[in-house]
Amino acid sequence: MAPKRPKGAGAFPKAVESPAPSLPDPAELYAALDLGTNSCRMLIAQPKGSQFHVVDSFSKSVQLGAGLEASGRLSRASISRTVQALRICKSKLDRHQVTRMRLVATEACRRALNARDFIRLVRRETGLRLEIIEPIEEARLAVVSCAPLVSTKTEQLLVVDIGGGSTELVWIDLSSVPRAERPRAIMRLHAGFHDTGSPFPTAKVVDWISVPLGVATLKDQFTDVEDDAARFALMSWFFEEHLANFSPYSNIQAREGFQIIGTSGTVTTVAASFLGLRRYDRNKVDGLRMTSDQIDRVIHDYLSLGPEGRRADPRIGRDRHALIMSGAAILQALMRVWPTDRLSVADRGLREGLLYAQMSADGVLEDGPF
């Protein structure tokens, strides 16, 4: 017996094919916002070849983590400053009609007891949806952003991201990757630090660590020490103590084929001071290589200036002078443990990593897939 048909149905309904997923428009704009302990920064960019072209940007010192060390909470004043900055970011996103974006918050929001209330307030006041990312993703995105600076001669790579509230270190073994593929192998880490069965040559992450000390949080630890040089020395040794659980600290020594890439305001400020730049120039700083001795000379110059001299030094800048010595203490500790003549200065970081990761996942960068 033939199966019964529904009343009024002349035939069984035909299967409807699902529409093919639409491919991202390579001309579409992407945005990445990084809300850290000290700064709120955003980039709006368009894919261009294997890189991207920045269309608009925003950077403001909001000091979101001010007082967090003592109270465990984001203060009303810090929240107010940050919301004002985020309103400007929202206006830029609307003006450029950006729909593909990631807006992330890091250490201050990871630690604050009232972080969830803050995220809800931002959503209500600005319409922006912030997400708090874990340290491992922050480290991974910092690494990805530095891929263009990786030398094809590098076999062991240390990427250091000195933030306001934390410092991420990632040690990567590239020795099994063909030289020409090494920068691209770093880019592919946006998918994760562990081998995902990729058919491409793989960069091996030996170890990574997120130290809960950045330029703001380390400075707050030693506000009771009045002597400038003593405070600096204590900060440097205190930071080094926090590296004890990082496996390359004890069993991997710097050697031929070793490269450090430093990404942070501290590293770019030290580079600008080394070059004697009275007006910052990203083209001269990004990718600059410095030796341990050159970095050491700049830091000693900072110490000889003292707090007042640093405040007046145009190479350091008004937004950076209060935090430069805690950042320099971190940098000196790293140079003490892993002396090198190949520290590459990166004027790039989490925002660039967010953009690369989004564009790579969408397949709008050339020379992919990453």
Side-chain angles (χ1 to χ4, degrees), residues 170-197:
V170 185
W171 193 292
I172 302 164
D173 184 348
L174 291 163
S175 58
S176 63
V177 180
R179 286 191 170 193
E181 285 289 313
R182 287 174 184 174
R184 197 172 301 176
I186 295 295
M187 181 73 80
R188 281 194 284 270
L189 289 173
H190 79 85
F193 276 169
H194 302 291
D195 187 0
T196 56

mmCIF file of all heavy atoms in Angstrom, residues 170-197:
data_model
loop_
_atom_site.group_PDB
_atom_site.id
_atom_site.type_symbol
_atom_site.label_atom_id
_atom_site.label_comp_id
_atom_site.label_asym_id
_atom_site.label_seq_id
_atom_site.Cartn_x
_atom_site.Cartn_y
_atom_site.Cartn_z
ATOM 1 N N VAL A 170 56.738 33.144 26.343
ATOM 2 C CA VAL A 170 56.515 31.916 25.586
ATOM 3 C C VAL A 170 57.829 31.522 24.919
ATOM 4 O O VAL A 170 58.422 32.325 24.196
ATOM 5 C CB VAL A 170 55.425 32.095 24.503
ATOM 6 C CG1 VAL A 170 55.139 30.765 23.821
ATOM 7 C CG2 VAL A 170 54.155 32.682 25.098
ATOM 8 N N TRP A 171 58.288 30.275 25.193
ATOM 9 C CA TRP A 171 59.521 29.762 24.584
ATOM 10 C C TRP A 171 59.133 28.767 23.499
ATOM 11 O O TRP A 171 58.390 27.818 23.756
ATOM 12 C CB TRP A 171 60.399 29.084 25.630
ATOM 13 C CG TRP A 171 61.795 28.818 25.133
ATOM 14 C CD1 TRP A 171 62.165 27.932 24.166
ATOM 15 C CD2 TRP A 171 62.998 29.464 25.557
ATOM 16 N NE1 TRP A 171 63.519 27.976 23.957
ATOM 17 C CE2 TRP A 171 64.061 28.900 24.800
ATOM 18 C CE3 TRP A 171 63.282 30.448 26.503
ATOM 19 C CZ2 TRP A 171 65.384 29.308 24.972
ATOM 20 C CZ3 TRP A 171 64.598 30.841 26.676
ATOM 21 C CH2 TRP A 171 65.640 30.266 25.910
ATOM 22 N N ILE A 172 59.640 28.981 22.284
ATOM 23 C CA ILE A 172 59.241 28.183 21.126
ATOM 24 C C ILE A 172 60.468 27.584 20.455
ATOM 25 O O ILE A 172 61.459 28.276 20.202
ATOM 26 C CB ILE A 172 58.465 29.063 20.110
ATOM 27 C CG1 ILE A 172 57.238 29.678 20.790
ATOM 28 C CG2 ILE A 172 58.043 28.244 18.900
ATOM 29 C CD1 ILE A 172 56.635 30.830 20.030
ATOM 30 N N ASP A 173 60.391 26.287 20.166
ATOM 31 C CA ASP A 173 61.448 25.565 19.455
ATOM 32 C C ASP A 173 61.058 25.480 17.978
ATOM 33 O O ASP A 173 60.041 24.886 17.621
ATOM 34 C CB ASP A 173 61.599 24.162 20.052
ATOM 35 C CG ASP A 173 62.745 23.374 19.430
ATOM 36 O OD1 ASP A 173 63.283 23.807 18.387
ATOM 37 O OD2 ASP A 173 63.105 22.318 19.984
ATOM 38 N N LEU A 174 61.883 26.106 17.132
ATOM 39 C CA LEU A 174 61.633 26.113 15.681
ATOM 40 C C LEU A 174 62.636 25.259 14.918
ATOM 41 O O LEU A 174 62.666 25.289 13.685
ATOM 42 C CB LEU A 174 61.694 27.554 15.160
ATOM 43 C CG LEU A 174 60.563 28.482 15.589
ATOM 44 C CD1 LEU A 174 60.942 29.934 15.366
ATOM 45 C CD2 LEU A 174 59.286 28.152 14.844
ATOM 46 N N SER A 175 63.458 24.491 15.635
ATOM 47 C CA SER A 175 64.576 23.788 14.996
ATOM 48 C C SER A 175 64.138 22.741 13.973
ATOM 49 O O SER A 175 64.877 22.441 13.041
ATOM 50 C CB SER A 175 65.464 23.132 16.061
ATOM 51 O OG SER A 175 64.713 22.224 16.850
ATOM 52 N N SER A 176 62.921 22.202 14.126
ATOM 53 C CA SER A 176 62.461 21.176 13.175
ATOM 54 C C SER A 176 61.674 21.775 12.013
ATOM 55 O O SER A 176 61.206 21.044 11.138
ATOM 56 C CB SER A 176 61.602 20.139 13.907
ATOM 57 O OG SER A 176 60.440 20.746 14.425
ATOM 58 N N VAL A 177 61.519 23.093 12.003
ATOM 59 C CA VAL A 177 60.777 23.767 10.938
ATOM 60 C C VAL A 177 61.758 24.291 9.896
ATOM 61 O O VAL A 177 62.746 24.943 10.249
ATOM 62 C CB VAL A 177 59.947 24.939 11.511
ATOM 63 C CG1 VAL A 177 59.176 25.649 10.403
ATOM 64 C CG2 VAL A 177 59.002 24.443 12.600
ATOM 65 N N PRO A 178 61.545 24.010 8.606
ATOM 66 C CA PRO A 178 62.425 24.578 7.583
ATOM 67 C C PRO A 178 62.519 26.095 7.709
ATOM 68 O O PRO A 178 61.538 26.760 8.049
ATOM 69 C CB PRO A 178 61.734 24.176 6.262
ATOM 70 C CG PRO A 178 60.924 22.968 6.604
ATOM 71 C CD PRO A 178 60.483 23.163 8.020
ATOM 72 N N ARG A 179 63.693 26.649 7.453
ATOM 73 C CA ARG A 179 63.936 28.074 7.708
ATOM 74 C C ARG A 179 62.898 28.989 7.083
ATOM 75 O O ARG A 179 62.396 29.912 7.735
ATOM 76 C CB ARG A 179 65.341 28.460 7.217
ATOM 77 C CG ARG A 179 66.458 27.952 8.108
ATOM 78 C CD ARG A 179 67.774 28.580 7.713
ATOM 79 N NE ARG A 179 68.815 28.289 8.695
ATOM 80 C CZ ARG A 179 69.994 28.902 8.735
ATOM 81 N NH1 ARG A 179 70.275 29.844 7.848
ATOM 82 N NH2 ARG A 179 70.883 28.587 9.663
ATOM 83 N N ALA A 180 62.581 28.749 5.842
ATOM 84 C CA ALA A 180 61.659 29.642 5.143
ATOM 85 C C ALA A 180 60.252 29.596 5.738
ATOM 86 O O ALA A 180 59.463 30.521 5.558
ATOM 87 C CB ALA A 180 61.603 29.288 3.661
ATOM 88 N N GLU A 181 59.943 28.515 6.465
ATOM 89 C CA GLU A 181 58.602 28.338 7.015
ATOM 90 C C GLU A 181 58.461 28.866 8.439
ATOM 91 O O GLU A 181 57.356 28.858 8.997
ATOM 92 C CB GLU A 181 58.249 26.843 7.006
ATOM 93 C CG GLU A 181 57.902 26.286 5.661
ATOM 94 C CD GLU A 181 56.549 26.806 5.180
ATOM 95 O OE1 GLU A 181 55.589 26.788 5.959
ATOM 96 O OE2 GLU A 181 56.468 27.258 4.020
ATOM 97 N N ARG A 182 59.554 29.322 9.061
ATOM 98 C CA ARG A 182 59.501 29.635 10.496
ATOM 99 C C ARG A 182 58.540 30.772 10.858
ATOM 100 O O ARG A 182 57.754 30.618 11.796
ATOM 101 C CB ARG A 182 60.925 29.890 11.016
ATOM 102 C CG ARG A 182 61.705 28.586 11.111
ATOM 103 C CD ARG A 182 63.163 28.724 11.465
ATOM 104 N NE ARG A 182 63.784 27.388 11.421
ATOM 105 C CZ ARG A 182 65.076 27.167 11.572
ATOM 106 N NH1 ARG A 182 65.912 28.169 11.774
ATOM 107 N NH2 ARG A 182 65.542 25.918 11.509
ATOM 108 N N PRO A 183 58.557 31.912 10.170
ATOM 109 C CA PRO A 183 57.566 32.949 10.515
ATOM 110 C C PRO A 183 56.125 32.459 10.351
ATOM 111 O O PRO A 183 55.252 32.756 11.160
ATOM 112 C CB PRO A 183 57.894 34.088 9.547
ATOM 113 C CG PRO A 183 59.342 33.884 9.203
ATOM 114 C CD PRO A 183 59.516 32.391 9.151
ATOM 115 N N ARG A 184 55.880 31.681 9.294
ATOM 116 C CA ARG A 184 54.521 31.182 9.050
ATOM 117 C C ARG A 184 54.100 30.163 10.112
ATOM 118 O O ARG A 184 52.933 30.106 10.513
ATOM 119 C CB ARG A 184 54.439 30.562 7.653
ATOM 120 C CG ARG A 184 53.029 30.380 7.151
ATOM 121 C CD ARG A 184 53.000 29.948 5.709
ATOM 122 N NE ARG A 184 53.652 30.919 4.849
ATOM 123 C CZ ARG A 184 53.826 30.754 3.545
ATOM 124 N NH1 ARG A 184 53.395 29.658 2.951
ATOM 125 N NH2 ARG A 184 54.420 31.681 2.819
ATOM 126 N N ALA A 185 55.067 29.364 10.588
ATOM 127 C CA ALA A 185 54.769 28.400 11.647
ATOM 128 C C ALA A 185 54.343 29.108 12.927
ATOM 129 O O ALA A 185 53.479 28.618 13.673
ATOM 130 C CB ALA A 185 55.988 27.524 11.911
ATOM 131 N N ILE A 186 54.933 30.273 13.189
ATOM 132 C CA ILE A 186 54.527 31.072 14.350
ATOM 133 C C ILE A 186 53.100 31.574 14.163
ATOM 134 O O ILE A 186 52.280 31.537 15.084
ATOM 135 C CB ILE A 186 55.484 32.271 14.551
ATOM 136 C CG1 ILE A 186 56.889 31.780 14.911
ATOM 137 C CG2 ILE A 186 54.955 33.209 15.629
ATOM 138 C CD1 ILE A 186 56.977 31.063 16.225
ATOM 139 N N MET A 187 52.771 32.029 12.975
ATOM 140 C CA MET A 187 51.423 32.528 12.692
ATOM 141 C C MET A 187 50.372 31.446 12.946
ATOM 142 O O MET A 187 49.283 31.729 13.463
ATOM 143 C CB MET A 187 51.342 33.011 11.239
ATOM 144 C CG MET A 187 49.990 33.573 10.840
ATOM 145 S SD MET A 187 49.670 35.186 11.569
ATOM 146 C CE MET A 187 50.619 36.222 10.444
ATOM 147 N N ARG A 188 50.717 30.201 12.642
ATOM 148 C CA ARG A 188 49.736 29.119 12.801
ATOM 149 C C ARG A 188 49.435 28.799 14.258
ATOM 150 O O ARG A 188 48.493 28.063 14.553
ATOM 151 C CB ARG A 188 50.224 27.865 12.059
ATOM 152 C CG ARG A 188 49.988 27.947 10.552
ATOM 153 C CD ARG A 188 50.157 26.602 9.885
ATOM 154 N NE ARG A 188 51.550 26.234 9.736
ATOM 155 C CZ ARG A 188 52.297 26.538 8.676
ATOM 156 N NH1 ARG A 188 51.780 27.235 7.679
ATOM 157 N NH2 ARG A 188 53.550 26.155 8.608
ATOM 158 N N LEU A 189 50.209 29.350 15.181
ATOM 159 C CA LEU A 189 49.942 29.118 16.601
ATOM 160 C C LEU A 189 48.660 29.793 17.080
ATOM 161 O O LEU A 189 48.239 29.581 18.219
ATOM 162 C CB LEU A 189 51.127 29.593 17.459
ATOM 163 C CG LEU A 189 52.406 28.745 17.358
ATOM 164 C CD1 LEU A 189 53.545 29.409 18.121
ATOM 165 C CD2 LEU A 189 52.167 27.333 17.882
ATOM 166 N N HIS A 190 48.034 30.620 16.225
ATOM 167 C CA HIS A 190 46.770 31.245 16.638
ATOM 168 C C HIS A 190 45.718 30.189 16.937
ATOM 169 O O HIS A 190 44.771 30.429 17.692
ATOM 170 C CB HIS A 190 46.268 32.229 15.568
ATOM 171 C CG HIS A 190 45.596 31.578 14.399
ATOM 172 N ND1 HIS A 190 44.263 31.240 14.403
ATOM 173 C CD2 HIS A 190 46.069 31.206 13.180
ATOM 174 C CE1 HIS A 190 43.940 30.692 13.230
ATOM 175 N NE2 HIS A 190 45.015 30.664 12.479
ATOM 176 N N ALA A 191 45.885 28.980 16.370
ATOM 177 C CA ALA A 191 44.906 27.913 16.601
ATOM 178 C C ALA A 191 45.138 27.190 17.928
ATOM 179 O O ALA A 191 44.285 26.433 18.383
ATOM 180 C CB ALA A 191 44.965 26.908 15.448
ATOM 181 N N GLY A 192 46.298 27.402 18.546
ATOM 182 C CA GLY A 192 46.585 26.749 19.825
ATOM 183 C C GLY A 192 48.064 26.451 19.974
ATOM 184 O O GLY A 192 48.796 26.378 18.987
ATOM 185 N N PHE A 193 48.494 26.267 21.228
ATOM 186 C CA PHE A 193 49.903 25.997 21.508
ATOM 187 C C PHE A 193 50.262 24.522 21.340
ATOM 188 O O PHE A 193 51.423 24.144 21.388
ATOM 189 C CB PHE A 193 50.256 26.429 22.941
ATOM 190 C CG PHE A 193 50.592 27.888 23.050
ATOM 191 C CD1 PHE A 193 50.712 28.480 24.299
ATOM 192 C CD2 PHE A 193 50.798 28.683 21.938
ATOM 193 C CE1 PHE A 193 51.039 29.822 24.435
ATOM 194 C CE2 PHE A 193 51.114 30.026 22.047
ATOM 195 C CZ PHE A 193 51.236 30.593 23.302
ATOM 196 N N HIS A 194 49.260 23.666 21.170
ATOM 197 C CA HIS A 194 49.534 22.234 21.037
ATOM 198 C C HIS A 194 49.314 21.804 19.600
ATOM 199 O O HIS A 194 48.493 22.368 18.877
ATOM 200 C CB HIS A 194 48.646 21.430 21.987
ATOM 201 C CG HIS A 194 48.821 21.829 23.420
ATOM 202 N ND1 HIS A 194 49.969 21.564 24.124
ATOM 203 C CD2 HIS A 194 47.987 22.494 24.271
ATOM 204 C CE1 HIS A 194 49.842 22.037 25.351
ATOM 205 N NE2 HIS A 194 48.653 22.614 25.466
ATOM 206 N N ASP A 195 50.044 20.768 19.183
ATOM 207 C CA ASP A 195 49.951 20.266 17.818
ATOM 208 C C ASP A 195 48.525 19.789 17.546
ATOM 209 O O ASP A 195 47.999 18.921 18.239
ATOM 210 C CB ASP A 195 50.943 19.098 17.628
ATOM 211 C CG ASP A 195 51.022 18.643 16.173
ATOM 212 O OD1 ASP A 195 50.316 19.222 15.340
ATOM 213 O OD2 ASP A 195 51.784 17.694 15.897
ATOM 214 N N THR A 196 47.903 20.377 16.545
ATOM 215 C CA THR A 196 46.521 20.024 16.219
ATOM 216 C C THR A 196 46.435 19.072 15.024
ATOM 217 O O THR A 196 45.393 18.950 14.390
ATOM 218 C CB THR A 196 45.722 21.301 15.907
ATOM 219 O OG1 THR A 196 46.387 22.029 14.853
ATOM 220 C CG2 THR A 196 45.607 22.181 17.136
ATOM 221 N N GLY A 197 47.545 18.395 14.715
ATOM 222 C CA GLY A 197 47.550 17.497 13.578
ATOM 223 C C GLY A 197 47.685 18.204 12.251
ATOM 224 O O GLY A 197 47.321 17.664 11.201
#
